[in-house]
């Protein structure tokens, strides 16, 4: 009898006996993310950790994503505390060349226009709460959801950890998923809003930016942030510190560590823990699905806002501006800039828009951090 009980207990503890339909669905979602990363090459640095974390989170009985599980512990240390986003921003700063933005400062406006998605989606989230039963987003929740429109995962995590910790998992998954899917989401919007003639516009080569300008730029940005919007200082400060390591030219070891080992290690843990929030009990809910829809709307509005402003700037500018570069105003660096360059070359093989698109792209990083700071100042 004891042996029989032991066998029954063993069978009852197997995955086969404990799998639920929702877990099977979410494991399939994780496998789809792995397929997109490995077979299609869609941002594998993000999608492989997220997809695999999602699979681990839905293994029954193991409790890997629970509070005391492997991924749960990392989540509490790195994401709940807001530490991972700041480390990522140091690495992003170390990898970023602000030269294109310094050479053509007016492209900063495109980075600002792309943040329209944040505030438009904030209003959309409040509207959903008003009209859709079962969805009750507060103003803080709506602000945290809206920041997805900046296409900046670290900023989305940083803001939601302070305003809406209970939605952090779903917001992080949406932000990183849409960042990874930039090559799918942006091109149709870019093509729809521009004429064939506009897509073929060739831009004037950017001027050379001196080393001195590049050194002073992160310091100037930090000073302005400190004086005008201290709430954004953690993100902006981390970004500027990483960039100063790069541009100073005297701390190669620190610069190379920030842009390689530091950001790579953090990306592994951050991706796995973001994926851990793909567990069926947390993800297959009306609120989460609403966040995903709103995140897509936010990203689309941000892309459209940048393109439309670039069209206007092209009409007013003495030198030609290809409106496609406006799509890079979202802060998915450098993915959005690469997409702009790819779409531009589809219509004009001799058109190289990458460096021109990097201006609004890095401006978008600053813009989303500033938007987060504004929301924190208003709502915290």
């Amino acid at each position: 009898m004891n042996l029989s009980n032991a066998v029954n207990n063993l069978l009852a503890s197997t995955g086969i006996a404990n799998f639920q339909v929702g877990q099977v669905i979410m494991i399939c979602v994780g496998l789809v993310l792995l397929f997109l990363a490995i077979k299609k090459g869609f941002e594998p640095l993000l999608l492989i950790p997220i997809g695999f974390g999602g699979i681990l989170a839905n293994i029954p009985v193991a409790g890997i994503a629970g509070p005391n599980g492997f991924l749960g512990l990392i989540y509490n240390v790195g994401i709940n505390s807001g530490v991972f986003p700041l480390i990522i921003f140091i690495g992003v700063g170390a990898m970023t060349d602000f030269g294109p933005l310094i050479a053509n400062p007016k492209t900063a406006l495109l980075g600002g226009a792309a943040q329209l998605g944040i505030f438009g989606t904030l209003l959309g989230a409040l509207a959903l709460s008003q009209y859709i039963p079962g969805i009750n987003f507060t103003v803080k929740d709506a602000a945290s959801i809206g920041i997805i429109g900046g296409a900046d995962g670290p900023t989305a995590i940083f803001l939601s950890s302070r305003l809406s910790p209970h939605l952090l998992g779903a917001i992080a998954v949406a932000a990183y998923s849409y960042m990874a899917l930039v090559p799918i989401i942006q091109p149709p919007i870019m093509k729809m809003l521009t004429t064939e003639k506009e897509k073929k516009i060739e831009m004037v080569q950017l001027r050379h930016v001196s080393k001195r300008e590049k050194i002073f730029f992160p310091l100037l940005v930090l000073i302005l942030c400190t004086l005008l919007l201290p709430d954004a200082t953690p993100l902006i400060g981390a970004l500027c510190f990483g960039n100063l390591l790069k541009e100073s030219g005297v701390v190669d070891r620190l610069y190379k560590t920030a842009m390689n080992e530091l950001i790579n290690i953090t990306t592994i843990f951050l991706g796995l823990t973001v994926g851990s929030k793909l567990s069926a009990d947390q993800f297959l809910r009306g609120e989460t699905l609403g966040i995903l829809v709103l995140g897509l709307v936010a990203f689309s509005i941000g892309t459209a806002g940048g393109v439309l402003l670039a069209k206007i700037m092209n009409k007013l500018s003495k030198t030609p501006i290809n409106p496609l570069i406006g799509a890079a105003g979202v802060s998915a660096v450098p993915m959005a800039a690469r997409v702009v360059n790819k779409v531009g070359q589809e219509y004009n093989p001799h058109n190289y828009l990458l460096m021109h698109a990097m201006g609004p792209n890095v401006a978008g990083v600053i813009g989303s951090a500033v938007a987060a700071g504004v929301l924190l100042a208003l709502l915290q």
Side-chain angles (χ1 to χ4, degrees), residues 98-116 203 206 217 220-221 224 302 305-307 309-310 313 321 325-331 355-371:
F98 284 112
L101 178 59
I102 300 170
N104 193 3
K106 62 186 175 185
T107 57
L109 296 173
L110 300 176
Q115 309 312 314
L116 287 174
M203 297 181 66
L206 295 170
F217 184 79
L220 176 62
V221 170
L224 289 174
V307 172
L309 180 60
M313 290 175 65
I321 296 175
I325 70 169
V330 298
S331 61
M355 293 311 295
H356 297 286
M358 283 302 297
N361 210 184
V362 297
V365 176
I366 297 172
S368 63
V370 168

Side-chain angles (χ1 to χ4, degrees), residues 117-132 135 137 142 145-146 290 294 297 301:
I118 294 175
F119 298 98
T121 306
L122 188 157
L123 299 176
L126 294 176
L128 273 186
S129 300
Q130 188 76 23
Y131 299 108
I132 305 295
I135 294 181
F137 294 132
I145 295 166
L294 287 168
V297 170
I301 293 174

